[in-house]
Amino acid sequence: MTSDLRPSDGTPLLIDGKLVGGSAGVFATTSPTTGERIGWAADGSAEDMGAAIAAARTAFDETGWSTDPGLRARCVRQLRDAMLDHIEQLREITIAEAGAPRLLTSGPHLEGPVHDLGWFAELAENYAWRTDLPIAEPLGMRTARVLRREAVGVVGAITPWNFPHQINLAKLGPALAAGNTVVLKPAPDTPWCAAALGILAAEHTDIPPGVLNVVTSSDHLVGALLAEDPRVDLVSFTGSTRTGKSVMAAAANTVKKVFLELGGKSAFVVLEDADLRAACSMAAFSVCVHAGQGCALSTRLLVPRSKYEEAVAITAETMGGVRPGDPNDAGTVCGPLISERQRQRVESYLELARRDGGEILVGGGRPAGRDEGWFVEPTLITGLPTTSAVVREEIFGPVLVVLPYDDDADAVRIANDSPYGLSGAVWGTDPERVDKVVSGIRTGTLSVNGGTWYSVDAPFGGYKQSGIGREMGVAGFEEYLETKLIAYPA
């Protein structure tokens, strides 16, 4: 067992197989529950990032990692097993640093994505790396053709703070299993979660030096180097749409592959024949999970105009019953926001809602008795026009807007009236009617009557400004592959 995944003098970087300090010293990591400093992380510099990229380049170009799926599968399973062996340390880190409710660490916040690593290991062993195409006669020349899938090369993975383990592993798992080498740059808000991966990989796996590198840093520009550096072949970024556009622009200079999983403003559509109480209660509850800090959460509730008042009353009743709490408590689903900066952002949208003529029926402030930490009440807003920024922009807090619609076509129109297209939900009892609405909504994932789309074997991603490419599933694995066609005379 590793003695401590958060040593008192600061978590290390992982560069070229070695656990090292940051050239810029250390920076503080803070509890979103109390607002107090809880420890230190290595502060990587541009020099450190350059060394990590060089190590990843050498490991890809000069070792057999990319051509040995058996070794890769074994190493990915070793990382999974090491994380499972240290799961309680990881759980406490995740709660302390990310403010993740303890309840969620048994699922998507920790244990789920750790177990998912095994799926990618198995895929590496069973994937069709070579496919023989039928004999063809282009230009009268009888030709045998072989299709090969090969690793892209060096992957730069830039990840956010909201679900650090899930997003880190959803990139590392397929990228490593596919034969790439990786440099991981996590968000400054959650460096420990990523540093723990580096420690466990260095001490408990056979991952060769340079194949996996972890660079924590307080400087966002250090991560931007991954998009700019010509030694990096692919950038996999999850975060805001604004930053994603910058990553895409920077990557264009070297024409590298880019995977982007960006923002969302998903619609929860309740059809006229739906179970109104069940649907509205689900919408209200889900937007409170992890204080609304999820890009795929549905933050616009669309209900029939004829049932608007009843729907608002049901939604208000449910949201009013959700109390923000200490993420250490077993019953908490709505913990703190990640930082004071994020709370100020959410509160600025609540003020904007008031200025735009919206009515805040539930919440709208800081919860009583929570003077420490970065808590915001679950908030329900009505009366806003669809042109309001509160309706159109991603807030990333426990804030739900209710909007009326006139008929199914109007519901689809409003749902699509967004620069985003990441997720959403449709509730109704008539299968044909539901399917027509589902077919009309332009979004990457949809839940019907409470169905769960999240799974390691299911691709996740969005339309429009919600991103490019897919994460998870075979489609997510293949984001990290190139296609090579070889032709022989037959």
Side-chain angles (χ1 to χ4, degrees):
M1 293 283 287
T2 302
S3 58
D4 191 359
L5 295 178
R6 47 176 181 176
S8 59
D9 57 347
T11 54
L13 310 178
L14 174 62
I15 299 177
D16 202 14
K18 302 179 181 67
L19 297 172
V20 298
S23 299
V26 294
F27 68 101
T29 185
T30 303
S31 164
T33 306
T34 66
E36 298 176 346
R37 186 186 73 226
I38 53 177
W40 306 94
D43 201 0
S45 65
E47 179 183 0
D48 294 322
M49 180 58 76
I53 294 171
R57 185 76 263 167
T58 298
F60 185 81
D61 292 341
E62 300 181 10
T63 75
W65 175 258
S66 67
T67 59
D68 191 343
L71 170 63
R72 302 197 300 267
R74 184 175 83 246
C75 290
V76 171
R77 288 192 180 102
Q78 287 173 337
L79 181 59
R80 175 200 62 190
D81 294 344
M83 295 187 76
L84 291 175
D85 288 343
H86 296 81
I87 202 70
E88 293 309 321
Q89 283 194 58
L90 291 169
R91 193 186 317 280
E92 297 310 315
I93 285 172
T94 310
I95 295 168
E97 184 178 56
R102 182 175 295 275
L103 178 69
L104 297 182
T105 61
S106 62
H109 249 304
L110 178 59
E111 293 186 39
V114 171
H115 284 288
D116 289 347
L117 287 172
W119 190 87
F120 289 111
E122 183 175 348
L123 183 59
E125 293 173 322
N126 298 311
Y127 187 73
W129 297 101
R130 172 187 169 122
T131 304
D132 293 322
L133 299 181
I135 299 293
E137 296 189 17
L139 304 177
M141 301 173 65
R142 188 170 169 80
T143 304
R145 296 145 323 144
V146 175
L147 194 66
R148 289 186 186 174
R149 304 305 303 273
E150 301 176 345
V152 170
V154 175
V155 171
I158 306 172
T159 59
W161 43 259
N162 57 323
F163 280 80
H165 293 299
Q166 193 281 319
I167 299 172
N168 289 344
L169 296 179
K171 297 186 188 301
L172 298 188
L176 294 174
N180 301 281
T181 58
V182 180
V183 180
L184 171 63
K185 167 58 175 72
D189 305 89
T190 51
W192 281 357
C193 292
L197 282 177
I199 295 170
L200 294 174
E203 297 184 350
H204 297 276
T205 78
D206 297 323
I207 295 175
V211 166
L212 174 60
N213 306 271
V214 181
V215 180
T216 59
S217 177
S218 63
D219 186 354
H220 288 283
L221 295 179
V222 169
L225 296 174
L226 290 166
E228 300 167 1
D229 198 301
R231 295 171 294 179
V232 177
D233 299 294
L234 181 152
V235 174
S236 181
F237 171 82
T238 298
S240 71
T241 295
R242 182 178 64 180
T243 304
K245 291 177 181 178
S246 298
V247 169
M248 193 174 185
N253 290 328
T254 52
V255 198
K256 58 171 57 74
K257 291 184 71 174
V258 177
F259 165 79
L260 302 174
E261 198 276 283
L262 307 176
K265 192 71 176 180
S266 301
F268 192 116
V269 180
V270 183
L271 300 180
E272 198 164 16
D273 63 348
D275 182 334
L276 193 66
R277 176 163 292 278
C280 292
S281 296
M282 175 66 78
F285 179 81
S286 62
V287 81
C288 300
V289 172
H290 192 32
Q293 296 172 116
C295 55
L297 294 176
S298 295
T299 53
R300 294 180 295 153
L301 176 59
L302 278 57
V303 299
R305 193 176 300 277
S306 61
K307 298 186 177 183
Y308 180 74
E309 292 184 5
E310 183 183 0
V312 167
I314 293 169
T315 308
E317 178 185 349
T318 301
M319 290 195 79
V322 179
R323 300 278 185 251
D326 187 333
N328 280 290
D329 295 342
T332 294
V333 296
C334 183
L337 297 173
I338 188 66
S339 64
E340 183 177 18
R341 179 186 67 255
Q342 181 61 20
R343 183 168 69 175
Q344 290 172 347
R345 171 184 165 83
V346 172
E347 289 178 335
S348 71
Y349 277 103
L350 301 184
E351 181 56 35
L352 179 59
R354 296 181 178 98
R355 293 203 304 269
D356 284 351
E359 183 179 2
I360 295 179
L361 299 182
V362 176
R366 301 179 183 182
R370 292 286 171 192
D371 298 328
E372 297 180 333
W374 318 123
F375 293 88
V376 169
E377 293 175 314
T379 301
L380 180 65
I381 305 174
T382 61
L384 285 174
T386 57
T387 55
S388 171
V390 179
V391 175
R392 302 189 63 79
E393 297 177 7
E394 185 174 51
I395 297 174
F396 235 57
V399 180
L400 181 65
V401 177
V402 187
L403 302 168
Y405 67 83
D406 295 320
D407 55 27
D408 291 0
D410 192 37
V412 171
R413 181 191 64 77
I414 295 172
N416 289 336
D417 184 19
S418 170
Y420 302 112
L422 186 56
S423 191
V426 178
W427 281 60
T429 58
D430 182 343
E432 290 187 10
R433 186 176 187 181
V434 168
D435 186 65
K436 186 175 181 180
V437 172
V438 165
S439 298
I441 296 176
R442 294 185 52 76
T443 189
T445 60
L446 275 170
S447 167
V448 174
N449 293 330
T452 301
W453 46 257
Y454 172 77
S455 177
V456 66
D457 63 343
F460 172 73
Y463 291 18
K464 299 186 284 187
Q465 293 187 34
S466 285
I468 297 173
R470 291 296 181 268
E471 201 151 63
M472 313 246 288
V474 174
F477 179 79
E478 291 179 339
E479 294 286 351
Y480 297 97
L481 296 176
E482 292 278 21
T483 301
K484 177 181 287 183
L485 179 70
I486 308 162
Y488 304 92

